């Protein structure tokens, strides 16, 4: 079967804003009354109305934890000159309804039986908060949070972190870095802040690219294995995943035979030459997930069971995920005679 276009409306959810919490002078949390099924570290993709009629799409990580009883929430920090973040900070109000894609992303711990080192800068704290709260409330390992901000005033979730320190005094360590007092973070500076016994830890990093690189180096010299370091990159989407897409027809039987197991259902089709797997699957009517189609959000991740693909762009998967066979459907073209893959 082939179809001419894909109506992405089936992937959207309407979110009712229940409460807006002012976190700092330039950041807000939007708490939703709509129940959501998500994993710690995942993000929503919101449709942001625009005065010129063409809405923009932006990703925002859930700062709430699915493991606690709290309502689903995102936290947004103003970007200077930015469109969506300023619209949200200025306009969002209780009672408002926003359109979103379902939660997506692979910045999600796959195991909880090791100590965690969480490293965040600025708004990068949002997925880290979700992971932190989940680790502390549902699992038993130690957690070290290293949190960099411009100044003490710009620290989001300061009260929540104080409360967690009171509840988990032996399992949680929080170390702050303030740029206004200590300058830009350095390898040696971050290493000094780290607890000494992090060798066995899994690390999750979120913040600006140069900060994450400094943090990665400090972690590696502190004994954290490179393959246990996971990163989330924040960037604005340049495409609009809310628009219907017109995938390449695949019904001719020409191309690489693919067997795809999607949420337990097996689909067989051919992926035409030079066509990315996401387009081929959408063309077959397969409900394959995607958001950015640019290789930087991880929403379209799948696991290769056999065969090989070439990825045009990969701005999100790390070495650990690649070694496990994870690939991006929006960027992958088959380079073997056949393929078997799985989307969970
Ligand atoms: C997976 C993921 C999760 C994320 N989670 C969060 C989160 O939890 N919280 C959060 O606050 N953010 C998060 N982000 C970032 C967020 O999606 C936006 O990128 C951010 O809010 C900035 O969007 P904006 O529309 O305000 O800025 P944009 O309008 O996209 O502008 C970004 C910057 O580019 C500049 N700019 C814009 N247009 C031009 C132009 N034509 N020429 C030159 N410069 C230009 C702007 O001045 C601004 O400095 C996440 C991103 C991703 C991918
Ligand atoms: S849809 Fe974002 S990486 Fe593929």
């Amino acid at each position: 079967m082939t179809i001419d276009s894909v109506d992405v409306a089936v992937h959207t959810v309407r979110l009712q804003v229940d409460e807006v919490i002012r976190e700092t002078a330039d950041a807000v949390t939007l708490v939703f009354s709509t129940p959501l099924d998500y994993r710690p570290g995942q993000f929503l993709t919101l449709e942001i109305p625009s005065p010129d009629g063409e809405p923009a799409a932006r990703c925002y990580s859930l700062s709430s934890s699915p493991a606690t009883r709290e309502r689903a929430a995102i936290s947004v920090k103003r970007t200077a000159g930015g469109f969506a973040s300023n619209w949200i900070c200025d306009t969002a109000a209780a009672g408002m309804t926003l359109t979103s894609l379902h939660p997506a992303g692979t910045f999600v711990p796959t195991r909880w039986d090791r100590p965690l080192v969480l490293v965040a800068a600025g708004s990068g704290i949002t997925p880290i908060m979700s992971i932190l709260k989940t680790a502390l409330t549902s699992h038993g390992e130690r957690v070290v949070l290293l949190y960099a901000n411009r100044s003490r005033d710009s620290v989001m979730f300061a009260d929540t972190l104080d409360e967690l320190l009171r509840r988990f005094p032996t399992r949680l360590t929080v170390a702050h870095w303030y740029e206004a007092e200590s300058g830009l973070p350095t390898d040696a500076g971050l290493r000094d802040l780290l607890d000494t016994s992090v060798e066995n830890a899994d690390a999750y990093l979120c913040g600006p690219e140069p900060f994450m690189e400094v943090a990665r180096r400090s972690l590696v010299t502190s004994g954290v294995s490179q393959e246990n370091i996971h990163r989330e990159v924040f960037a604005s989407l340049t495409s609009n995943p809310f628009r219907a897409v017109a995938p390449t027809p695949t019904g001719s039987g020409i191309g690489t035979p693919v067997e795809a197991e999607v949420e337990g259902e097996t689909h067989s089709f051919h992926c035409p030459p030079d066509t990315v797997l996401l387009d081929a699957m959408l063309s077959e009517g397969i409900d394959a997930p995607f958001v950015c189609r640019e290789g930087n959000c991880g929403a379209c991740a799948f696991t290769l069971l056999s065969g090989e693909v070439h990825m045009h762009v990969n701005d999100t998967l790390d070495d650990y995920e690649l070694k496990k066979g994870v690939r991006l459907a929006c960027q992958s073209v088959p380079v073997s005679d056949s393929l078997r893959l799985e989307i969970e």
Side-chain angles (χ1 to χ4, degrees):
M1 179 190 76
T2 61
I3 53 177
D4 296 330
S5 71
V6 175
D7 178 3
V8 292
V10 290
H11 294 288
T12 64
V13 56
R14 298 281 290 163
L15 297 172
Q16 176 95 31
V17 179
D18 203 24
E19 192 182 349
V20 177
I21 302 167
R22 203 143 288 279
E23 297 287 351
T24 64
D26 61 0
V28 294
T29 290
L30 270 53
V31 184
F32 301 113
S33 53
T34 315
L36 273 177
D37 190 8
Y38 64 100
R39 289 181 289 157
Q42 287 197 307
F43 63 87
L44 295 173
T45 305
L46 297 185
E47 189 173 44
I48 309 294
S50 153
D52 67 14
E54 174 60 28
R58 293 287 185 275
C59 304
Y60 291 103
S61 305
L62 287 136
S63 50
S64 51
S65 162
T68 63
R69 286 173 185 274
E70 65 185 329
R71 294 158 292 170
I74 57 165
S75 301
V76 181
K77 189 166 187 165
R78 284 183 199 275
T79 297
F83 168 63
S85 58
N86 286 290
W87 184 87
I88 292 171
C89 287
D90 293 334
T91 319
M96 174 184 267
T97 305
L98 292 166
T99 301
S100 173
L101 299 186
H102 285 283
T106 55
F107 189 63
V108 176
T110 49
R111 58 186 179 192
W112 300 90
D113 57 352
R114 286 172 176 233
L116 276 178
V117 182
L118 305 177
V119 185
S123 60
I125 189 66
T126 52
I128 295 294
M129 272 316 274
S130 185
I131 294 170
L132 173 74
K133 287 184 275 188
T134 306
L136 290 172
T137 55
S138 293
H139 305 278
E141 288 291 340
R142 271 183 333 113
V143 184
V144 177
L145 170 65
L146 214 149
Y147 186 12
N149 277 284
R150 289 232 166 83
S151 63
R152 289 169 194 266
D153 290 351
S154 48
V155 175
M156 291 162 77
F157 310 119
D159 292 346
T160 310
L161 288 172
D162 284 347
E163 194 207 317
L164 289 170
L165 279 166
R166 273 194 298 276
R167 277 179 65 196
F168 303 97
T170 56
R171 288 181 51 214
L172 175 63
T173 308
V174 180
H176 289 278
W177 181 284
Y178 304 114
E179 206 182 299
E181 297 169 25
S182 311
L184 285 172
T186 59
D187 293 25
L190 292 186
R191 214 163 42 241
D192 286 349
L193 284 184
L194 274 175
D195 197 279
T196 46
S197 53
V198 293
E199 290 88 3
N200 238 347
D202 284 335
Y204 288 83
L205 280 51
C206 188
E209 192 71 56
F211 168 78
M212 286 201 284
E213 185 45 31
V214 172
R216 186 196 63 76
R217 285 199 303 263
S218 321
L219 288 168
V220 169
T221 32
S222 299
V224 179
S225 159
Q226 170 67 52
E227 66 169 23
N228 294 337
I229 299 177
H230 310 275
R231 312 193 319 176
E232 179 79 310
V233 178
F234 280 4
S236 290
L237 297 179
T238 55
S239 60
N240 187 342
F242 292 93
R243 265 198 235 122
V245 292
T248 320
T250 57
S252 60
I254 298 170
T256 308
V258 181
E259 200 176 282
E261 200 174 304
V262 184
E263 290 185 341
E265 207 178 315
T266 305
H267 306 263
S268 299
F269 60 94
H270 284 77
C271 184
D274 302 323
T275 302
V276 292
L277 281 164
L278 178 67
D279 286 357
M281 287 193 279
L282 294 176
S283 174
E284 288 293 315
I286 298 170
D287 193 13
F290 66 92
V291 173
C292 70
R293 309 184 91 190
E294 295 162 3
N296 63 35
C297 78
C300 64
F302 68 90
T303 305
L304 211 46
L305 301 176
S306 68
E308 195 43 273
V309 297
H310 165 74
M311 278 197 286
H312 297 305
V313 174
N314 168 30
D315 287 336
T316 179
L317 300 178
D318 53 45
D319 291 347
Y320 174 75
E321 289 163 323
L322 291 171
K323 242 189 242 171
K324 278 176 50 190
V326 182
R327 301 287 186 273
L328 300 173
C330 73
Q331 299 298 322
S332 291
V333 288
V335 292
S336 53
D337 292 342
S338 65
L339 280 182
R340 277 179 56 240
L341 62 94
E342 182 184 23
I343 300 179
E344 279 177 27

